[in-house]
Amino acid sequence: MAKNAPPRWDRKMQQRLSRGEAAALGEMYDRFAALVHSQAHRMLDDEDAADLVTREVFAHVWENPDAYDPKQGSMRAWVAHLTHRESVRRLRRGADEDRDDPDGPDGLEERVRRATAAARADYIVSSMPAPLRAALELAYVRRRDYRQAAADLGVTEDEARRRLRLGLQLLSTARTRPLEGAPPPGYGRVL
Amino acid sequence: MSDGADGRDEEGRDDEVRGAPRIPGPRPAADDFADLTPVPPPGPMPEPAPEPEPEPVPEPEPEPEPEPVPEPQPRPASAGAEPESAPPALVLPHRVLQALLGAWALAACSAEETAAVEAHLTECAPCADEALRLRDAVGLLHTDRSLDLDPLLRSRVLENCLNRRPAKIPVPDWAAPYDAETARLDALLRDIGSAEWHAPVRLQWFEGEREASRRTTVAGVIGHLMTVDGLVGAALGLDDPLPGPLSPTARTESYWSATRVPPTRAVREPWREQSHTLIRTVSFAGRGVEDLSVSYGDFALPLQDALLDRAFECWVHAGDIAKAVDYPYEPPSAGHLHRMIDLAARMLPAALAVRRRSGLAGPARQLVTAGSPGRSLHLEIEGSGGGDWYVALDSPAALGSAEHTVAQVALDGVEFCRLVAGHVPPVEAAAGQRGDREAIRDVLFAAASLSRL
């Protein structure tokens, strides 16, 4: 389900949510809850906070389905955008409450920046073409070298090297954007 | 050497094509694409800062299943090394080194290649830039599996939504257990790997006086759930994926035998789609739909019970799957479990009557007029979802009654469900028993007889 849903699905879902169809809300949750929760968890590193972000994101989607603009990108990207926004809000609120924050405002900005890059990286990994993701997983998670990875994947060694490099190139774009105000992972672009 | 390609997606590949050998290898670099490169070899230094890269996420499509280039890969390790010299310092052409940067950043190349790349980085600025960037990107990867979502989160999140904006078209309350159980199973399926879909699963049930079982795979179980759910869909006028037999067992067998290759994870999507469609359809159906009769061949249930029964089956088989792939799996929420137990308790008098007719249960002792209280067994279910039920023993037409109790059985709720699912033999089931032994035996066997494939 991590694949890009056809835009038709997105539009249809939006209509159903607007109509107030509870079954649509459930389907929406089934499709995106894992994305929302893991992204929030990556940004906030806290299970309860990730639960709350998940709750807020779906409440927002349910209450404002018309805020989604299919021309701006996929629904998946919209949901990722909302998750990012809500998580950043939470990071800032946490910092406001804790005014003795040793990191100070710069520390907070740095934390927001890091959290955003991490979340964007996850989003990129989950959205990248499956062959690239599989190669990265073999090399990074399973510690296979590129020759072993090539054998595992049934491709040439050259192709394995290409995939690893391309996968990392894509991933490195997670750091290239200014935050805040900048479009969230993907949203605002054709995915 | 910006080639002005606007096809950003091609970037990685362009890059590779672009990077022609800087230092010609000792042998003509038999590297890939060499013949595809009409581009004059660029000097390494003037190469522009690579990748402006404003695009956060690639277009996924343009990455075609990479065509395996059938090219005899020159062992780079032997490319320039003098065989006899002890530390074989590799001299590799720029393009080969550049192509290795990803593997290098992931520490996924040989020691010789690593040394060669690192030597190259001291003299090639574009490669050094890229190497830094890729190393940095590796830092964004992480190994921890995405945490499994708390299955109870779903109902909390949805409830919060519906409190804030009430649904115009709600999911009927009686469909909630099916909605919750299919979602829970789907979440489990999302977390398992491709190979695990083929893990063997032994389905167990109870037939007559003895246990029966059947081997299939995780994917086979999902196919089974899908074909039997199809009965409910057919009653609602939806397209039946398997028109034909009505009995769940016959349907499943014909599904299993019709699929020439063993089912794979591809079965998840149609199963899930069907369950979503069912929920959606009952949401839109008018009042009274809950009483629509769903035929299972030799018996029928009103739709609301049929869907509850499907929720129960979904949980039971999710448990079978979880066991096969070694995942934890919790029972349904207390409220849903209670309804499942209630359904089984309500079905017990009829199941007893069926067994009596085939001589598997003792004779009726005391017939009463329909609708009046009759001899009963007190089923005391403890723990989550528990409660007290009084099962009429002599006829489905009699009412269960506390005053006419002749026997009592105490059981944990989940244990009772395992009995009803045919996962524990009736003789081992009850934790506490009191009173008429025949009645107890008959009820426990009748409970097990509710199970089927």
Side-chain angles (χ1 to χ4, degrees):
Chain A
M1 296 250 175
K3 288 167 297 190
N4 280 17
R8 211 174 76 84
W9 189 91
D10 290 357
R11 270 172 226 271
K12 192 108 212 244
M13 178 51 70
Q14 182 178 32
Q15 283 167 12
R16 294 174 62 197
L17 292 170
S18 298
R19 215 154 43 184
E21 202 191 304
L25 176 62
E27 287 179 43
M28 187 79 193
Y29 183 91
D30 295 338
R31 192 177 285 244
F32 296 122
L35 166 76
V36 171
H37 194 271
S38 70
Q39 187 181 328
H41 194 274
R42 189 92 200 269
M43 291 185 70
L44 301 167
D45 196 24
D46 180 288
E47 184 78 23
D48 292 339
D51 285 1
L52 287 173
V53 168
T54 306
R55 201 183 71 174
E56 288 310 307
V57 166
F58 282 99
H60 184 88
V61 166
W62 176 242
E63 290 189 289
N64 307 282
D66 297 329
Y68 167 60
D69 178 1
K71 288 194 210 80
Q72 295 270 312
S74 67
M75 190 162 253
R76 181 180 156 79
W78 182 54
V79 168
H81 160 66
L82 296 174
T83 307
H84 175 254
R85 199 177 68 178
E86 185 59 31
S87 302
V88 169
R89 193 175 292 162
R90 235 155 228 292
L91 276 175
R92 294 199 185 290
R93 201 183 303 153
D96 284 347
E97 283 160 13
D98 181 14
R99 277 193 294 165
D100 304 329
D101 188 350
D103 302 343
D106 293 348
L108 173 65
E109 286 318 305
E110 175 57 22
R111 226 173 321 153
V112 169
R113 206 185 62 75
R114 270 203 313 265
T116 300
R120 193 173 284 141
D122 282 2
Y123 187 84
I124 292 171
V125 170
S126 70
S127 317
M128 73 174 48
L132 300 189
R133 185 167 56 241
L136 283 184
E137 272 166 13
L138 282 172
Y140 185 76
V141 181
R142 307 200 27 219
R143 311 302 314 161
R144 309 283 280 165
D145 68 33
Y146 76 82
R147 294 191 171 87
Q148 294 166 324
D152 291 352
L153 295 168
V155 300
T156 61
E157 291 177 357
D158 184 65
E159 175 59 23
R161 291 190 309 237
R162 190 186 79 82
R163 290 186 192 182
L164 293 176
R165 179 169 172 228
L166 186 53
L168 289 182
Q169 283 173 343
L170 293 174
L171 192 55
S172 70
T173 64
R175 294 224 203 255
T176 56
R177 283 193 164 227
L179 315 174
E180 233 40 71
Y187 190 56
R189 309 236 154 214
V190 183
L191 282 187
Chain B
M1 233 235 18
S2 191
D3 47 18
D6 45 3
R8 175 134 283 120
D9 19 288
E10 290 295 331
E11 188 164 47
R13 182 164 305 197
D14 282 353
D15 228 22
E16 212 152 55
V17 174
R18 224 165 34 208
R22 179 175 76 109
I23 309 161
R27 275 187 249 150
D31 212 339
D32 50 319
F33 305 121
D35 46 333
L36 304 177
T37 332
V39 193
M45 287 315 174
E47 189 153 58
E51 286 83 61
E53 199 56 30
E55 191 78 325
V57 174
E59 196 80 33
E61 295 83 3
E63 186 57 37
E65 206 38 60
E67 60 302 334
V69 187
E71 150 243 336
Q73 176 69 25
R75 256 345 241 201
S78 63
E82 276 130 53
E84 56 274 15
S85 67
L90 277 183
V91 181
L92 298 172
H94 168 82
R95 60 177 323 176
V96 171
L97 292 162
Q98 193 185 33
L100 269 169
L101 288 175
W104 170 82
L106 285 153
C109 43
S110 71
E112 295 77 25
E113 286 164 334
T114 303
V117 168
E118 283 165 9
H120 176 67
L121 295 183
T122 60
E123 57 197 34
C124 175
C127 279
D129 279 354
E130 180 175 337
L132 257 180
R133 227 156 40 82
L134 299 190
R135 260 279 151 93
D136 189 46
V138 171
L140 291 167
L141 288 166
H142 58 121
T143 44
D144 39 310
R145 287 175 62 91
S146 62
L147 294 159
D148 294 343
L149 270 181
D150 175 1
L152 298 178
L153 183 63
R154 186 179 193 266
S155 60
R156 289 208 304 273
V157 167
L158 299 192
E159 195 182 289
N160 173 62
C161 289
L162 295 170
N163 284 337
R164 280 159 70 160
R165 175 191 170 211
K168 286 209 194 76
I169 303 145
V171 173
D173 179 58
W174 46 267
Y178 182 76
D179 185 29
E181 292 310 312
T182 50
R184 243 153 47 91
L185 172 54
D186 192 43
L188 167 68
L189 297 177
R190 184 181 41 233
D191 286 342
I192 69 177
S194 291
E196 289 175 306
W197 281 84
H198 301 285
V201 180
R202 195 162 69 95
L203 298 179
Q204 279 177 281
W205 68 102
F206 196 81
E207 241 171 41
E209 297 288 83
R210 43 148 54 126
E211 292 156 59
S213 72
R214 179 84 157 71
R215 281 179 77 84
T216 179
T217 61
V218 169
V221 174
I222 300 302
H224 164 54
L225 285 173
M226 178 170 72
T227 52
V228 184
D229 280 0
L231 280 175
V232 181
L236 284 164
L238 298 171
D239 279 343
D240 187 347
L242 197 87
L246 283 179
S247 110
T249 306
R251 285 176 75 82
T252 303
E253 291 296 352
S254 90
Y255 167 79
W256 281 341
S257 58
T259 49
R260 213 165 302 140
V261 284
T264 63
R265 68 181 315 155
V267 73
R268 177 181 165 206
E269 196 84 30
W271 164 75
R272 192 62 182 125
E273 177 132 359
Q274 177 178 259
S275 55
H276 276 147
T277 304
L278 279 176
I279 292 161
R280 177 157 194 239
T281 306
V282 300
S283 304
F284 277 96
R287 282 171 152 273
V289 73
E290 65 267 29
D291 296 323
L292 187 76
S293 174
V294 178
S295 173
Y296 287 76
D298 47 3
F299 65 103
L301 288 174
L303 179 61
Q304 59 176 324
D305 285 345
L307 217 48
L308 185 54
D309 171 70
R310 297 313 304 151
F312 178 75
E313 290 284 308
C314 184
W315 162 43
V316 168
H317 289 320
D320 294 335
I321 289 172
K323 197 169 140 202
V325 299
D326 206 16
Y327 266 54
Y329 205 76
E330 298 294 317
S333 69
H336 293 174
L337 192 58
H338 184 85
R339 292 194 224 177
M340 293 172 186
I341 294 169
D342 181 65
L343 174 63
R346 284 189 283 121
M347 290 170 77
L348 276 175
L352 269 171
V354 168
R355 289 178 63 80
R356 183 169 292 132
R357 277 199 292 278
S358 28
L360 292 170
R365 296 289 174 76
Q366 203 180 64
L367 288 173
V368 295
T369 47
S372 6
R375 234 167 41 102
S376 303
L377 176 136
H378 177 192
L379 184 61
E380 186 185 354
I381 303 295
E382 296 155 343
S384 168
D388 294 284
W389 283 269
Y390 296 90
V391 180
L393 290 167
D394 294 321
S395 159
L399 282 186
S401 145
E403 286 73 44
H404 297 73
T405 297
V406 297
Q408 183 182 7
V409 166
L411 261 169
D412 171 72
V414 171
E415 192 68 3
F416 176 70
C417 289
R418 285 168 46 76
L419 170 69
V420 170
H423 283 39
V424 266
V427 284
E428 293 169 18
Q433 315 186 346
R434 218 154 31 118
D436 188 326
R437 298 190 141 242
E438 188 182 61
I440 292 169
R441 181 190 178 279
D442 286 350
V443 167
L444 293 178
F445 274 81
S449 78
L450 293 172
S451 67
R452 55 175 185 264
L453 168 63

